[in-house]
Amino acid sequence: KQEVTQIPAALSVPEGENLVLNCSFTDSAIYNLQWFRQDPGKGLTSLLLIQSSQREQTSGRLNASLDKSSGRSTLYIAASQPGDSATYLCAVTQGGSEKLVFGKGTKLTVNP
Amino acid sequence: GAGVSQTPSNKVTEKGKYVELRCDPISGHTALYWYRQSLGQGPEFLIYFQGTGAADDSGLPNDRFFAVRPEGSVSTLKIQRTERGDSAVYLCASGRTLYNEQFFGPGTRLTVL
């Protein structure tokens, strides 16, 4: 059974800092990995999708990497801003299945 | 519409009652998913539709839960004889086709008293 773990559970940084969020998964037979942002009381906003054949994806200040063989992904946020404060979730799609398996998320606070 | 919409945004009901939660996917998306999110947890998969048929309902917790998508667009998640443990945020997502990016709606917060 696929399990997704995200560390740290919470992170607080000053504005302007570069930071890395970690995601690990137990079964490397994934089809893709998706990073989401969730604001309090809101749904999920898709940030980046990495196919299993890809090593990384970039969007603006965000860069996500994937090392499928070691079961790890990182989300790098450059020059963090208070508006980046949210919970960040990673999820994998298992090969042969359409469902996303989520981690519990990392709650990020960026202090002005 | 531009995104996935869900109604109602909040639903409060009493134990034992029946509830229906509605999801309108992004136009043209053939894949539709339901997830459930409890406080402090990541979403958990319930059921997935490809077109009108439920391709995978392995996440439905028991037979009190049922979902339909009769015309391949709007979906309704139905919960019978609600229990306090059903309280959670129910999220709907849609996608273009197999293994594509999933786009989520704002969710329905269900509270069972």
Side-chain angles (χ1 to χ4, degrees):
Chain A
K1 177 186 173 185
Q2 178 74 270
E3 292 183 359
V4 179
T5 303
Q6 291 186 247
I7 52 172
L11 180 64
S12 181
V13 300
E15 182 176 4
E17 204 165 280
N18 302 324
L19 59 100
V20 174
L21 307 181
N22 296 291
C23 172
S24 62
F25 44 94
T26 55
D27 187 340
S28 62
I30 64 168
Y31 194 84
N32 59 37
L33 183 146
Q34 212 168 334
W35 281 95
F36 294 89
R37 168 188 173 134
Q38 187 172 33
D39 293 283
K42 305 291 185 183
L44 279 63
T45 301
S46 179
L47 298 174
L48 290 163
L49 172 72
I50 311 178
Q51 302 292 350
S52 61
S53 58
Q54 298 175 318
R55 296 289 298 209
E56 66 178 326
Q57 283 284 351
T58 298
S59 176
R61 295 182 294 108
L62 305 180
N63 176 278
S65 68
L66 174 63
D67 184 342
K68 197 175 99 164
S69 61
S70 68
R72 295 183 182 185
S73 176
T74 61
L75 179 66
Y76 174 83
I77 303 177
S80 58
Q81 303 171 358
D84 295 330
S85 298
T87 296
Y88 290 80
L89 293 152
C90 82
V92 298
T93 302
Q94 200 71 19
S97 169
E98 274 290 308
K99 64 184 180 184
L100 286 170
V101 179
F102 283 85
K104 292 184 179 181
T106 294
K107 184 176 180 180
L108 172 65
T109 303
V110 181
N111 301 299
Chain B
V4 178
S5 62
Q6 293 186 245
T7 54
S9 56
N10 279 285
K11 177 70 176 178
V12 180
T13 191
E14 294 179 345
K15 181 175 179 295
K17 298 290 188 182
Y18 168 83
V19 296
E20 289 189 352
L21 311 179
R22 176 187 168 108
C23 172
D24 281 83
I26 294 172
S27 178
H29 282 190
T30 58
L32 185 145
Y33 313 80
W34 284 98
Y35 295 83
R36 179 168 73 171
Q37 186 175 26
S38 300
L39 193 63
Q41 304 294 314
E44 293 182 327
F45 170 80
L46 295 176
I47 187 170
Y48 152 63
F49 289 89
Q50 181 64 31
T52 60
D56 182 355
D57 64 357
S58 62
L60 295 177
N62 52 59
D63 61 6
R64 295 186 298 106
F65 288 74
F66 189 71
V68 295
R69 194 185 185 198
E71 298 179 355
S73 178
V74 171
S75 176
T76 304
L77 178 65
K78 307 180 181 191
I79 310 174
Q80 298 177 324
R81 304 183 304 281
T82 51
E83 300 178 356
R84 293 193 179 87
D86 299 335
S87 296
V89 175
Y90 289 80
L91 295 164
C92 176
S94 69
R96 285 194 180 86
T97 185
L98 292 176
Y99 300 126
N100 265 267
E101 192 171 4
Q102 295 186 24
F103 297 89
F104 281 75
T108 293
R109 181 174 298 277
L110 175 66
T111 303
V112 182
L113 301 177

